[in-house]
C-alpha cells in the first residue's frame, strides 16, 4: 500500500472514500481470522523473554511529592524519584507494620511512611530492599523476578520507537477482569478492527500474517516485514469525519509476552507506534483475575504543521486518551468475555 505512488507526500494526508459500503456490506473476515493463527501467534509471544519486567504506569503520572503505586500479580510496589532525581522503587508494604507506602508522601526524594515515619531513600533499610526499576521516558517499569520466573534482563524489552523529542506522546490506562493473554490475543487479531470499531476504522485488509517460518525469540519489530516475520500487516483507513479518512499501512508485532506494538510503516504518520502493555494485577474480591492495559501512543509526522501539534500536546493528550478509551471499552469487553469463556471451558476451539 502506498497512498502516494509517486513517493511524494501530498499536501493533505486525507482521502475521500468514493464508494463507502455500509457496515453490514463489508467483506466478512471470519474465515481469514483463523483461530489457530491467532493462538499460535499468542503462543510465540508468550515464549519470548521479558526479563521479568512489568509496566507500572506512565512517566508523566509520577509526581515529585507522591509515589506511584501498583499491584503486580498480587505484589504491591511503589516507585518514586530518589534524592538524586533518579527513579527508585521497591515493595509497597512498609516493613514495620505493613502500612501502604503508596499513600505516603515524598519529601526531598525520600518516601516517608505516614504510619510511623519510616523514611526510605531507595537504599536497603529496616528490612526494606529496592527493586530494579526503569524509566524509558514514556513508561515506568519494575522487575519482579519472583513473579516472572525468567532469567532477568538489565532492562525491559522495548520495540523500536520514534525519537521522543519529535513525537506527540499520550498514555491510556484501563483495567479489565481477564488475564494478560486475553488482552494480547485481542491485539493479535487485527481482522476485527472495522467490524468492532466502525467509528474508527474502515477498509481494513490484512495483507500479511505470520507464516510457517515465524520463530519464537528475538524482536521481529526490529527488522523489515517479510513473509517469514512474525507480524500482521494491515492496510486500513482511520476515519475522521463523514467520508474523510487517512489510509495507512500498519504492522503488529509482539516483542515480548505482555506487549503488542502497532507501527505505521506507510502513509501519514509513518514511524508512529502504539504500544499495548498488559500487566497482571491479581484477583479481585471474587477471585477473578484483573489485568491493567497501558497503551502508549508515540505519533510523528514530517509535516511542518506537526510541530504546532506537539506544542499543543497538553490539549491533544486528553483527546488521544479519550479515543483510545473508546476503543478499549469495546476491546476490554471482548477480553473479559474471552476469559469467562475460557474459564468455564466454553471458548471455541
Amino acid at each position: 500500500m502506498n497512498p502516494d505512488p509517486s513517493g511524494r507526500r501530498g499536501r493533505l494526508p486525507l482521502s475521500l472514500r468514493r464508494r463507502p459500503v455500509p457496515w453490514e456490506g463489508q467483506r466478512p473476515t471470519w474465515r481469514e481470522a483463523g483461530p489457530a493463527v491467532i493462538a499460535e501467534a499468542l503462543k510465540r509471544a508468550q515464549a519470548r523473554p521479558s526479563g521479568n519486567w512489568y509496566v507500572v504506569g506512565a512517566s508523566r503520572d509520577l509526581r515529585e511529592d507522591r509515589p506511584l503505586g501498583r499491584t503486580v500479580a498480587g505484589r504491591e510496589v511503589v516507585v518514586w524519584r530518589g534524592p538524586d532525581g533518579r527513579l527508585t522503587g521497591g515493595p509497597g508494604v512498609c516493613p514495620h507494620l505493613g502500612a501502604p507506602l503508596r499513600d505516603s508522601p515524598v519529601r526531598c526524594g525520600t518516601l516517608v511512611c505516614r504510619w510511623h515515619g519510616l523514611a526510605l531513600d531507595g537504599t536497603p533499610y529496616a528490612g526494606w530492599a529496592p527493586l530494579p526499576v526503569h524509566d524509558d521516558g514514556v513508561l515506568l517499569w519494575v522487575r519482579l523476578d519472583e513473579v516472572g520466573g525468567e532469567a532477568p534482563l538489565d532492562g525491559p524489552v522495548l520495540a523500536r520507537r520514534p525519537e521522543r523529542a519529535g513525537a506527540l506522546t499520550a498514555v491510556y490506562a484501563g483495567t479489565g477482569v481477564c488475564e494478560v493473554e486475553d488482552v494480547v490475543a485481542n491485539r493479535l487479531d487485527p481482522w476485527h478492527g472495522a467490524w468492532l470499531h466502525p467509528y474508527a476504522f474502515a477498509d481494513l485488509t490484512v495483507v500479511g500474517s505470520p507464516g510457517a517460518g515465524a520463530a519464537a525469540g528475538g524482536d521481529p519489530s526490529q527488522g523489515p516485514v517479510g513473509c517469514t516475520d512474525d507480524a500482521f500487516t494491515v492496510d486500513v483507513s482511520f476515519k475522521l469525519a463523514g467520508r474523510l479518512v487517512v489510509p495507512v499501512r500498519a504492522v503488529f508485532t509482539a516483542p515480548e509476552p505482555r506487549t503488542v506494538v502497532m507501527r505505521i510503516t506507510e502513509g501519514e504518520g509513518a514511524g508512529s507506534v502504539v504500544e499495548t502493555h498488559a500487566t497482571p494485577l491479581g484477583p479481585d474480591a471474587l477471585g477473578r483475575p484483573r489485568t491493567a492495559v497501558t497503551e502508549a501512543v508515540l505519533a510523528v509526522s514530517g509535516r511542518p504543521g506537526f510541530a504546532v501539534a506537539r506544542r499543543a500536546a497538553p490539549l491533544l493528550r486528553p483527546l488521544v486518551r479519550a479515543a483510545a478509551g473508546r476503543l478499549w471499552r469495546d476491546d476490554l469487553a471482548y477480553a473479559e468475555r474471552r476469559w469467562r469463556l475460557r474459564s468455564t471451558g466454553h471458548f471455541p476451539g
Side-chain angles (χ1 to χ4, degrees):
M1 192 277 288
N2 188 344
D4 183 358
S6 69
R8 297 172 297 178
R9 185 185 296 121
R11 291 185 178 181
L12 291 175
L14 311 178
S15 261
L16 186 67
R17 298 180 73 206
R18 298 186 181 282
R19 298 181 181 84
V21 297
W23 177 83
E24 67 275 10
Q26 298 180 87
R27 182 177 57 83
T29 57
W30 66 272
R31 288 186 175 87
E32 300 169 32
V37 175
I38 299 168
E40 289 301 315
L42 173 64
K43 186 184 299 183
R44 289 190 296 273
Q46 292 171 327
R48 295 191 174 101
S50 74
N52 305 322
W53 288 93
Y54 297 83
V55 169
V56 295
S59 302
R60 192 175 296 277
D61 291 342
L62 185 58
R63 294 166 40 179
E64 291 185 3
D65 60 341
R66 302 197 68 82
L68 185 65
R70 170 75 84 186
T71 299
V72 180
R75 278 74 165 177
E76 294 180 50
V77 297
V78 288
V79 295
W80 74 95
R81 301 286 178 195
D84 58 0
R86 287 186 297 180
L87 187 69
T88 188
V93 178
C94 180
H96 176 224
L97 285 175
L101 294 177
R102 71 173 64 192
D103 296 334
S104 300
V106 175
R107 297 292 184 264
C108 299
T110 297
L111 181 68
V112 183
C113 179
R114 62 194 302 262
W115 193 247
H116 286 101
L118 178 65
L120 302 170
D121 64 3
T123 59
Y125 183 67
W128 185 93
L131 292 166
V133 291
H134 181 80
D135 181 358
D136 64 28
V138 179
L139 300 173
L140 305 173
W141 304 71
V142 64
R143 197 181 81 196
L144 295 173
D145 294 338
E146 66 176 49
V147 173
E150 302 177 14
L153 297 175
D154 291 338
V157 178
L158 297 175
R160 188 175 70 255
R161 286 174 172 175
E163 289 293 332
R164 188 162 50 91
L168 170 66
T169 63
V171 178
Y172 159 82
T175 303
V177 177
C178 59
E179 294 180 332
V180 166
E181 75 161 77
D182 301 300
V183 172
V184 174
N186 175 279
R187 297 298 281 161
L188 294 177
D189 171 16
W191 290 277
H192 78 267
W195 284 101
L196 189 60
H197 311 296
Y199 49 84
F201 307 118
D203 306 324
L204 187 152
T205 303
V206 177
V207 297
S209 58
D219 180 358
S221 71
Q222 298 296 338
V225 176
C227 62
T228 60
D229 285 331
D230 200 0
F232 295 88
T233 303
V234 179
D235 286 346
V236 63
S237 292
F238 294 108
K239 296 180 75 172
L240 295 181
R243 293 191 293 160
L244 284 177
V245 295
V246 179
V248 301
R249 171 164 288 182
V251 176
F252 292 77
T253 55
E256 57 108 75
R258 292 176 290 277
T259 299
V260 178
V261 177
M262 184 201 77
R263 183 186 314 280
I264 296 179
T265 58
E266 295 183 38
E268 183 63 24
S272 302
V273 300
V274 177
E275 298 178 358
T276 302
H277 303 272
T279 301
L281 301 180
D284 64 10
L286 299 177
R288 303 173 302 178
R290 295 178 304 129
T291 295
V293 174
T294 307
E295 187 159 276
V297 178
L298 292 90
V300 293
S301 173
R303 294 182 180 275
F306 188 72
V308 177
R310 286 206 326 283
R311 287 195 291 271
L315 300 175
L316 294 176
R317 286 192 187 100
L319 300 178
V320 175
R321 286 195 294 267
R326 186 179 184 186
L327 292 169
W328 275 107
R329 278 194 294 274
D330 294 340
D331 282 336
L332 273 175
Y334 172 76
E336 291 180 331
R337 176 174 175 80
R338 186 181 188 275
W339 173 78
R340 288 195 301 270
L341 292 174
R342 288 194 307 107
S343 64
T344 56
H346 293 106
F347 188 70

